[in-house]
Amino acid sequence: MRTSIATVCLSGTLAEKLRAAADAGFDGVEIFEQDLVVSPHSAEQIRQRAQDLGLTLDLFQPFRDFEGVEEEQFLKNLHRLEEKFKLMNRLGIEMILLCSNVGTATINDDDLFAEQLHRAADLAEKYNVKIAYEALAWGKFVNDFEHAHALVEKVNHKALGTCLDTFHILSRGWETDEVENIPAEKIFFVQLADAPKLSMDILSWSRHHRVFPGEGDFDLVKFMVHLAKTGYDGPISLEIFNDSFRKAEVGRTAIDGLRSLRWLEDQTWHALSAEDRPSALELRALPEVAEPEGVDFIEIATGRLGETIRVLHQLGFRLGGHHCSKQDYQVWTQGDVRIVVCDRGATGAPTTISAMGFDTPDPEAAHARAELLRAQTIDRPHIEGEVDLKGVYAPDGVELFFAGPSPDGMPEWLPEFGVEKQEAGLIEAIDHVNFAQPWQHFDEAVLFYTALMALETVREDEFPSPIGLVRNQVMRSPNDAVRLLLSVAPEDGEQGDFLNAAYPEHIALATADIVAVAERARKRGLDFLPVPENYYDDVQARFDLPQEFLDTLKENHLLYDRDENGEFLHFYTRTLGTLFFEVVERRGGFAGWGETNAPVRLAAQYREVRDLERGIPN
Amino acid sequence: MRTSIATVCLSGTLAEKLRAAADAGFDGVEIFEQDLVVSPHSAEQIRQRAQDLGLTLDLFQPFRDFEGVEEEQFLKNLHRLEEKFKLMNRLGIEMILLCSNVGTATINDDDLFAEQLHRAADLAEKYNVKIAYEALAWGKFVNDFEHAHALVEKVNHKALGTCLDTFHILSRGWETDEVENIPAEKIFFVQLADAPKLSMDILSWSRHHRVFPGEGDFDLVKFMVHLAKTGYDGPISLEIFNDSFRKAEVGRTAIDGLRSLRWLEDQTWHALSAEDRPSALELRALPEVAEPEGVDFIEIATGRLGETIRVLHQLGFRLGGHHCSKQDYQVWTQGDVRIVVCDRGATGAPTTISAMGFDTPDPEAAHARAELLRAQTIDRPHIEGEVDLKGVYAPDGVELFFAGPSPDGMPEWLPEFGVEKQEAGLIEAIDHVNFAQPWQHFDEAVLFYTALMALETVREDEFPSPIGLVRNQVMRSPNDAVRLLLSVAPEDGEQGDFLNAAYPEHIALATADIVAVAERARKRGLDFLPVPENYYDDVQARFDLPQEFLDTLKENHLLYDRDENGEFLHFYTRTLGTLFFEVVERRGGFAGWGETNAPVRLAAQYREVRDLERGIPN
């Protein structure tokens, strides 16, 4: 599949955009006119640069407000178009995007549109270029792809075809089945964009909130299947207007974009029947990745070893042993949970989640797939005879490893720590893991975990903290063996780092007896995150609990929630730098993860950080 | 007028919110329940704290999903409500906000609503509290204020009244005339919110985009006039959900809020007829401020005096002289433009706009008004016999002075610089001044210039830079003598300070002969901001200009725009730290300010900053 990206998706100068697109592995780019206008490089220099980088220049765009006007205005428009054809000749670009008229059209007449498009096509032929005509969703008279295509058929000129843009089609909720009926030779270009379902006017939605395929809610696979069946074999190009992409680092946006196309290509290949595959768009499938069967391990790194292992012990973990060759690494186990602790030395550096292992049925295939999806492979030193786990960096820099399944509950690597048997305990499993995401990598992270780790998005929430709204995306494996929460703190306010420190990550541990876990922890002196008395008053007002049960909750710093299927009890530890632990007990089929109580936690953590800032000891 | 604010408007802990509300000068607050739930302070402590701060606790809110349910569920709801009444007794709060049912109502029956509200009112009476019933715009069965009021009348209970919330009324576009027909004794509470006109679903609009009165598009003055006529004399309270406020510094949000109420009070007073004023809400008017008649001076401060005065000279300014007592200050003049330069010493500190003087008809009144609107007065030292200009700090820290009018073109203070006469020059006036605003003070700044400086908002634009969208608000005096552009750079991306440096402020100077200004500047060696060749190609394609004219543009680094009324020619200097100059010539009645060409400028400035970062000399 030939991949392309519009320069408007990327931040920086045109030169920087070309470099990023080439580095990410795109075959070509669309030149967004404004990027060229503001560039100090001439058309000839851009052409040469693209050639040097191995990029084709697939499209010049956009040309606006052309057809449906009086003759006098039309002649001016034609002049403007001719100037652009000259520029395209200098750039060596053969195709221009002509958008249906939004602003200046005054005459709603298909015959006139056809006549004016025909004259444009004649002119294009003179300059040896072609016109891809696209219906904008908010076009004044032409605003759906079937209408645009009907005009192209009416004109019937070899220099005029249609451009299909999924945003303009799917934002209006139109069926894409009709795409199959467009002859391939009349499809001159294809632009892809995904978008989250938002209820706002289409123009604002389009200008600010498009995302890469797989990061939104459109059914792009279905569109691609219809497209593939037409026999179209031109570029599949990304055209995304997104406020975050505009200001994000250009190199990683480009990689994120290419990943989205490779993933979509793979999804489309799978969705096509075997007989449709060979000719379609030269699609290639990726190595398959199966959903993970569990969390193999979590690794935390710390410059404060003492307080970290104290908390692990208070929660009932036992030291399994130290790694045979990497003496800075130790493993703590309980039930089916393995926490590797990396001692960074007594630097005072905060404790963070540094790595996570997934029980992956076929690690080799998963890793090969991840590499094709442009994830960066981790290169950890290991010596002969030790297990060499394959892994890649997540968008936030956490190391993710593809560990093989361990049917007897003993991962292959565990003996390297001198552990021969894992003992059961009150803590039985990892309930979920929460990664804090920088806002600018949030959509990227959702696609990453979908495409590389076979997780699915479940729900999105937003809840208040004392210093802004926190956005939260729940992802899980369809078998529910792995659950991740990706959360994004408010974009930097005035409070800068102070704010970030108030949004730590956490590891939630599952138990069937949280009261016993809490009592043991209390005896061992655990510093619980304090729960305000007012919270319990409110719980009582909402749930009318027996007094004894309420007393048990209070005594053990437990928070409570209930839905129609069951109950949820949980507590939090105080924060170690930017990490804390949660212990949860699910009774019955409770489906949440404590989101109702998250504001209570965030407020307590905010006070903790603020007091630390003021020099009040923890 | 009694002022109040809901704690949900403010960031931080409940204790921090109370302190901020009191410091800003509010009479009372609404306690947002969640703020109490997450607080470590007991109800009694909060009550005491408010009393110590001189704040009344006006409302406990919100209570949700109450009426329109089956009896079994209703009894649970009543229990929940009773628990809140107990809590209110502990807090010493007499009023609770009951929102019309959104989620759980199953029976649409006014008789049932009335019966259930009646039972709630009976219970309230027992606890000596009252219920203010509010129709949410997205309420399931009750979603308009007239319906809510009709139910209150039907119940006819002294413990039940209605709460009017302007967001829920005006977001639906309802007429507010009917407010006048509600008896004052049935209006238990009034909540105000403004909002920009946005086309999105009402719930998202409400939850994220409300702003303080005067910062949005709602006609709140009209609402207040109707309300005042009822005889209502309770609190007027702000209830604003806004993503920016949630993360902004709490003290200044509170001041911004109080300012909005004082401004609205003044506007309402003026809108009422004289006979309606005395009894209405105890409204007080502010001292009046007339629109400014011009820009008296602009002051720039610099740690790089050499390059600053070189540019002033290149643009044709002459040194007027140094200040008689403040030797660090010098004035440069040309035409009707006076630029005071404050030499900060050769520290290398970038050149910034530090102050601006407005020709204000009555400086004393304007200053008194500004102080009542909680602006902070500037306290500059001056000695006997010198003009003592009154001034206040703008939200971004710039000093704004109320200078008296200078009918002969000679400000009273100018002789202190040894200037006895101002000579005419090619530069004739200030066309506009652009202040870069931190995003979190943007709405505040709009209200500030409206309420204190008698400016009005004209238009809002948004345009792309290589690293994000820049938002731009044009404000001006109705007589067009003063024009400001407030611009907000994209919220911090990954590029941090690098990004900010690429969004400088500017001073635009007006001339009737820009070619002469540019030619003189070229002779004197001015460093123009470079304009790419591609830009001229595009101008040519769009406007089809005579070749000679195009050559003149190119030769003088001029940018060009045209509308139906006239033409606009302008050039930019390179940036001095975070400030640059623009020179503009308006031919005919051109109404814009160069926004079409702003992306060209921003791209050039981005390259400038990037090259500086890379160590490439300017």
Side-chain angles (χ1 to χ4, degrees):
Chain A
M1 188 175 94
R2 276 176 59 199
T3 57
S4 189
I5 185 167
T7 55
V8 72
C9 308
L10 302 169
S11 67
T13 64
L14 185 51
E16 289 165 343
K17 292 167 190 232
L18 293 179
R19 159 59 69 89
D23 284 353
F26 282 95
D27 299 313
V29 298
E30 303 174 30
I31 297 288
F32 187 69
E33 180 176 22
Q34 183 77 355
D35 286 329
L36 182 69
V37 168
V38 305
S39 170
H41 297 107
S42 70
E44 290 76 11
Q45 285 173 315
I46 296 297
R47 178 185 195 157
Q48 185 61 47
R49 179 65 181 151
Q51 197 178 316
D52 293 346
L53 289 166
L55 288 171
T56 54
L57 297 180
D58 298 325
L59 186 78
F60 184 79
Q61 66 119 322
F63 193 86
R64 300 186 193 278
D65 293 337
F66 178 75
E67 81 286 14
V69 297
E70 300 283 356
E71 182 67 13
E72 188 189 338
Q73 182 62 46
F74 179 72
L75 290 174
K76 285 185 191 163
N77 294 353
L78 208 58
H79 164 77
R80 194 159 51 91
L81 187 61
E82 184 164 13
E83 292 298 310
K84 297 307 165 190
F85 289 162
K86 291 178 191 164
L87 183 58
M88 287 164 67
N89 285 170
R90 293 172 57 203
L91 283 160
I93 297 185
E94 285 169 17
M95 186 85 70
I96 189 170
L97 179 73
L98 197 158
C99 303
S100 62
N101 197 327
V102 171
T104 64
T106 51
I107 308 158
N108 186 6
D109 176 357
D110 274 12
D111 289 337
L112 179 73
F113 300 155
E115 184 221 313
Q116 295 183 335
L117 289 171
H118 200 289
R119 287 161 73 186
D122 281 343
L123 186 64
E125 204 170 12
K126 198 176 129 194
Y127 285 91
N128 218 8
V129 297
K130 293 179 170 184
I131 298 170
Y133 181 59
E134 173 180 287
L136 299 186
W138 50 89
K140 192 160 176 186
F141 300 125
V142 180
N143 52 36
D144 80 78
F145 74 100
E146 294 184 62
H147 190 181
H149 170 235
L151 289 169
V152 165
E153 290 291 352
K154 193 177 173 87
V155 173
N156 191 22
H157 193 298
K158 64 182 176 183
L160 182 75
T162 193
C163 172
L164 298 174
D165 180 315
T166 59
F167 185 87
H168 294 286
I169 298 171
L170 295 168
S171 66
R172 301 288 298 259
W174 281 315
E175 277 303 324
T176 49
D177 303 58
E178 281 305 312
V179 167
E180 273 187 42
N181 300 326
I182 306 180
E185 67 273 15
K186 292 295 184 198
I187 304 175
F188 277 13
F189 208 76
V190 175
Q191 291 178 321
L192 291 188
D194 200 348
K197 283 211 179 78
L198 294 174
S199 47
M200 54 167 60
D201 66 293
I202 296 183
L203 186 60
S204 302
W205 189 20
S206 169
R207 292 268 164 90
H208 303 288
H209 299 284
R210 294 184 182 203
V211 287
F212 289 136
E215 297 175 357
D217 296 318
F218 288 165
D219 191 350
L220 295 180
V221 175
K222 183 166 183 289
F223 169 84
M224 287 292 290
V225 164
H226 294 309
L227 180 70
K229 288 185 185 171
T230 65
Y232 172 78
D233 65 354
I236 301 294
S237 186
L238 297 169
E239 195 204 27
I240 317 288
F241 305 92
N242 177 295
D243 290 353
S244 295
F245 294 175
R246 284 179 195 276
K247 46 189 177 167
E249 197 274 305
V250 61
R252 59 186 303 162
T253 307
I255 286 177
D256 184 23
L258 191 83
R259 177 178 300 144
S260 75
L261 283 181
R262 287 281 166 245
W263 171 80
L264 183 64
E265 179 180 9
D266 177 65
Q267 296 281 307
T268 307
W269 188 88
H270 282 283
L272 282 168
S273 61
E275 59 268 30
D276 280 329
R277 280 175 194 157
S279 65
L281 283 162
E282 300 176 56
L283 296 174
R284 279 175 307 178
L286 294 167
E288 287 193 51
V289 61
E291 59 181 324
E293 288 160 6
V295 177
D296 193 63
F297 68 91
I298 292 181
E299 179 188 290
I300 59 185
T302 183
R304 306 171 190 171
L305 186 66
E307 66 175 32
T308 303
I309 64 177
R310 186 172 67 231
V311 169
L312 288 172
H313 174 254
Q314 288 162 336
L315 293 175
F317 284 85
R318 291 183 187 189
L319 174 63
H322 289 76
H323 191 264
C324 55
S325 68
K326 292 171 225 155
Q327 288 294 319
D328 302 339
Y329 289 79
Q330 47 189 270
V331 71
W332 290 71
T333 69
Q334 183 176 192
D336 200 30
V337 182
R338 293 163 286 279
I339 297 182
V340 175
V341 179
C342 167
D343 179 7
R344 290 258 159 93
T347 59
T351 308
T352 57
I353 302 177
S354 49
M356 185 168 167
F358 289 78
D359 287 338
T360 312
D362 185 348
E364 291 291 335
H367 182 246
R369 178 186 173 96
E371 287 203 315
L372 287 169
L373 287 168
R374 297 301 318 266
Q376 195 190 336
T377 289
I378 298 159
D379 189 20
R380 281 201 181 184
H382 75 288
I383 58 174
E384 197 66 29
E386 289 176 9
V387 178
D388 180 23
L389 295 182
K390 298 285 185 196
V392 294
Y393 291 96
D396 63 351
V398 168
E399 301 180 4
L400 301 179
F401 288 94
F402 304 106
S406 38
D408 57 353
M410 275 289 290
E412 217 187 345
W413 53 267
L414 201 51
E416 291 173 16
F417 286 85
V419 180
E420 291 176 2
K421 185 171 164 296
Q422 241 183 283
E423 286 172 41
L426 288 169
I427 302 285
E428 298 172 345
I430 304 270
D431 187 86
H432 60 266
V433 179
N434 164 235
F435 291 120
Q437 301 291 308
W439 62 265
Q440 62 273 55
H441 305 153
F442 185 70
D443 294 321
E444 180 186 349
V446 170
L447 174 64
F448 182 93
Y449 286 105
T450 306
L452 278 77
M453 298 295 170
L455 303 189
E456 60 185 20
T457 55
V458 181
R459 52 184 282 176
E460 205 177 329
D461 296 286
E462 201 173 58
F463 42 76
S465 85
I467 37 179
L469 293 175
V470 176
R471 189 174 153 203
N472 217 90
Q473 173 74 55
V474 184
M475 302 195 71
R476 63 163 188 188
S477 55
N479 59 14
D480 215 24
V482 173
R483 289 191 212 107
L484 295 186
L485 306 186
L486 307 179
S487 58
V488 196
E491 294 189 37
D492 269 1
E494 287 176 336
Q495 318 203 35
D497 288 344
F498 178 72
L499 185 108
N500 294 331
Y503 296 96
E505 310 186 305
H506 73 270
I507 300 169
L509 305 163
T511 179
D513 188 352
I514 196 167
V515 174
V517 174
E519 279 175 354
R520 178 177 65 191
R522 278 165 53 213
K523 276 189 204 130
R524 293 182 180 185
L526 179 73
D527 229 353
F528 289 82
L529 191 77
V531 181
E533 218 24 57
N534 298 337
Y535 168 77
Y536 292 109
D537 290 347
D538 185 56
V539 162
Q540 184 56 6
R542 284 191 288 141
F543 300 114
D544 201 13
L545 302 172
Q547 188 59 45
E548 196 186 351
F549 182 64
L550 193 71
D551 290 341
T552 302
L553 294 182
K554 283 189 196 185
E555 198 175 14
N556 292 293
H557 312 279
L558 300 179
L559 295 101
Y560 181 80
D561 199 7
R562 193 163 74 194
D563 66 14
E564 60 278 22
N565 301 313
E567 294 174 298
F568 189 68
L569 288 76
H570 56 144
F571 71 81
Y572 306 109
T573 69
R574 275 196 196 265
T575 307
L576 306 165
T578 56
L579 174 73
F580 66 93
F581 291 92
E582 180 181 7
V583 177
V584 317
E585 179 184 340
R586 292 171 187 274
R587 295 180 177 176
F590 183 85
W593 44 273
E595 62 277 23
T596 318
N597 297 322
V600 178
R601 167 174 70 76
L602 287 163
Q605 288 171 335
Y606 167 75
R607 291 192 300 271
E608 236 183 327
V609 172
R610 188 200 55 190
D611 291 348
L612 273 175
E613 292 271 319
R614 291 183 185 161
I616 301 170
N618 197 326
Chain B
M1 189 174 93
R2 277 175 59 200
T3 56
S4 190
I5 185 168
T7 55
V8 72
C9 307
L10 302 168
S11 67
T13 64
L14 185 51
E16 289 165 345
K17 292 167 190 230
L18 293 178
R19 158 58 69 88
D23 285 353
F26 282 95
D27 299 313
V29 298
E30 303 174 30
I31 297 287
F32 188 68
E33 181 176 21
Q34 185 76 355
D35 286 329
L36 183 68
V37 168
V38 305
S39 171
H41 296 108
S42 70
E44 291 76 11
Q45 286 173 315
I46 295 297
R47 177 183 196 159
Q48 185 61 49
R49 179 66 180 149
Q51 197 178 315
D52 294 346
L53 289 166
L55 289 171
T56 54
L57 297 180
D58 298 325
L59 186 78
F60 184 81
Q61 67 118 323
F63 192 87
R64 298 185 194 279
D65 292 338
F66 178 74
E67 82 287 13
V69 297
E70 300 284 354
E71 180 67 14
E72 188 189 336
Q73 181 62 46
F74 180 72
L75 290 174
K76 284 185 191 163
N77 294 353
L78 209 58
H79 164 76
R80 193 158 53 90
L81 187 60
E82 184 164 13
E83 293 297 311
K84 297 307 166 191
F85 289 163
K86 290 178 192 166
L87 182 58
M88 288 164 66
N89 284 170
R90 292 171 57 202
L91 283 161
I93 298 185
E94 284 168 19
M95 188 84 71
I96 190 170
L97 178 74
L98 198 158
C99 303
S100 62
N101 198 326
V102 171
T104 65
T106 52
I107 309 160
N108 185 7
D109 176 357
D110 273 12
D111 290 336
L112 180 73
F113 299 155
E115 184 222 312
Q116 294 183 334
L117 289 170
H118 200 290
R119 288 162 72 186
D122 281 343
L123 186 65
E125 204 168 13
K126 199 176 128 192
Y127 284 91
N128 219 6
V129 297
K130 292 178 171 186
I131 297 169
Y133 181 59
E134 172 181 289
L136 299 186
W138 50 88
K140 192 159 177 186
F141 300 125
V142 180
N143 52 35
D144 80 79
F145 74 102
E146 294 185 62
H147 189 182
H149 170 235
L151 289 170
V152 165
E153 290 291 351
K154 192 177 173 88
V155 172
N156 190 23
H157 192 298
K158 65 182 177 186
L160 183 76
T162 193
C163 172
L164 299 174
D165 181 316
T166 58
F167 185 87
H168 293 285
I169 298 170
L170 296 167
S171 66
R172 300 288 298 259
W174 281 316
E175 276 304 322
T176 49
D177 304 59
E178 280 304 312
V179 167
E180 273 188 40
N181 300 326
I182 305 180
E185 68 273 15
K186 293 295 184 198
I187 304 176
F188 277 14
F189 208 76
V190 174
Q191 292 179 320
L192 293 187
D194 200 347
K197 283 212 180 79
L198 295 173
S199 48
M200 54 168 60
D201 66 293
I202 295 183
L203 187 60
S204 302
W205 190 19
S206 169
R207 292 268 165 89
H208 303 288
H209 300 283
R210 294 185 182 202
V211 287
F212 289 135
E215 296 175 359
D217 296 319
F218 288 165
D219 191 349
L220 294 181
V221 175
K222 183 164 184 291
F223 169 84
M224 287 293 289
V225 165
H226 293 308
L227 180 71
K229 289 186 186 171
T230 66
Y232 172 78
D233 64 355
I236 301 294
S237 187
L238 297 169
E239 195 204 26
I240 317 288
F241 305 93
N242 178 295
D243 290 353
S244 295
F245 293 174
R246 284 179 194 275
K247 46 188 177 167
E249 198 273 306
V250 61
R252 60 187 302 162
T253 307
I255 286 177
D256 185 23
L258 191 84
R259 177 177 300 144
S260 74
L261 283 181
R262 289 280 166 247
W263 171 80
L264 183 63
E265 180 181 7
D266 177 65
Q267 296 282 305
T268 307
W269 189 89
H270 282 284
L272 280 169
S273 62
E275 59 267 31
D276 279 328
R277 280 176 194 157
S279 66
L281 284 163
E282 300 176 55
L283 296 174
R284 280 176 306 179
L286 294 168
E288 287 191 53
V289 61
E291 60 181 324
E293 288 161 8
V295 176
D296 193 65
F297 68 91
I298 292 180
E299 178 188 289
I300 58 184
T302 183
R304 307 172 191 172
L305 186 67
E307 66 175 31
T308 304
I309 64 179
R310 186 172 66 232
V311 170
L312 287 171
H313 174 254
Q314 287 162 337
L315 293 175
F317 284 85
R318 291 183 184 188
L319 175 63
H322 289 75
H323 191 264
C324 53
S325 67
K326 294 171 225 156
Q327 288 294 319
D328 302 339
Y329 288 79
Q330 47 188 270
V331 71
W332 290 71
T333 68
Q334 184 175 190
D336 199 31
V337 182
R338 293 163 285 279
I339 296 181
V340 176
V341 180
C342 168
D343 179 8
R344 289 258 159 91
T347 59
T351 308
T352 57
I353 303 178
S354 49
M356 184 167 168
F358 290 79
D359 287 339
T360 313
D362 184 347
E364 291 291 335
H367 183 245
R369 178 185 173 95
E371 287 204 315
L372 286 168
L373 288 168
R374 297 302 318 268
Q376 196 191 334
T377 289
I378 298 159
D379 189 19
R380 281 202 183 184
H382 75 286
I383 58 173
E384 198 64 31
E386 289 177 10
V387 177
D388 180 21
L389 295 182
K390 298 286 185 196
V392 293
Y393 291 97
D396 63 350
V398 168
E399 301 179 5
L400 301 180
F401 289 94
F402 304 107
S406 37
D408 58 352
M410 275 289 289
E412 215 186 345
W413 54 266
L414 201 50
E416 291 172 19
F417 286 85
V419 180
E420 291 176 3
K421 183 171 167 294
Q422 241 183 287
E423 285 171 41
L426 288 169
I427 302 284
E428 298 173 347
I430 304 271
D431 187 86
H432 60 267
V433 180
N434 164 234
F435 291 120
Q437 301 291 307
W439 61 265
Q440 63 274 53
H441 305 155
F442 185 70
D443 293 320
E444 180 187 348
V446 170
L447 174 63
F448 181 94
Y449 286 105
T450 306
L452 279 78
M453 298 294 170
L455 303 190
E456 60 185 19
T457 54
V458 182
R459 54 183 282 179
E460 206 178 327
D461 295 286
E462 201 173 57
F463 42 75
S465 85
I467 37 178
L469 293 175
V470 177
R471 189 175 153 202
N472 217 90
Q473 173 73 56
V474 184
M475 301 194 71
R476 62 163 188 188
S477 55
N479 60 13
D480 216 25
V482 173
R483 288 191 213 106
L484 295 186
L485 305 186
L486 306 179
S487 58
V488 196
E491 296 189 36
D492 268 1
E494 286 175 336
Q495 318 201 38
D497 289 344
F498 177 72
L499 186 108
N500 293 331
Y503 294 97
E505 310 186 304
H506 72 271
I507 299 168
L509 305 163
T511 179
D513 188 352
I514 196 166
V515 174
V517 175
E519 279 175 354
R520 177 178 64 191
R522 278 164 55 211
K523 276 188 205 132
R524 293 182 180 185
L526 179 73
D527 229 352
F528 289 82
L529 191 76
V531 181
E533 231 2 74
N534 298 337
Y535 167 78
Y536 293 108
D537 290 348
D538 184 56
V539 161
Q540 184 56 6
R542 285 191 287 141
F543 301 114
D544 202 10
L545 303 172
Q547 188 59 43
E548 195 185 350
F549 182 64
L550 193 70
D551 290 342
T552 303
L553 294 181
K554 283 189 197 186
E555 198 176 11
N556 293 292
H557 311 279
L558 300 179
L559 295 100
Y560 181 80
D561 199 7
R562 192 162 75 196
D563 64 16
E564 61 278 21
N565 300 313
E567 293 174 298
F568 189 68
L569 288 76
H570 56 144
F571 70 82
Y572 306 108
T573 68
R574 276 197 196 262
T575 307
L576 306 164
T578 56
L579 174 74
F580 66 95
F581 292 92
E582 180 182 7
V583 177
V584 316
E585 179 185 341
R586 292 171 186 276
R587 295 181 177 175
F590 183 85
W593 43 273
E595 63 277 21
T596 318
N597 297 322
V600 178
R601 166 174 69 78
L602 287 163
Q605 288 171 335
Y606 166 76
R607 291 192 300 271
E608 235 185 330
V609 172
R610 189 200 54 190
D611 290 348
L612 273 175
E613 292 271 319
R614 290 182 185 162
I616 301 169
N618 198 326

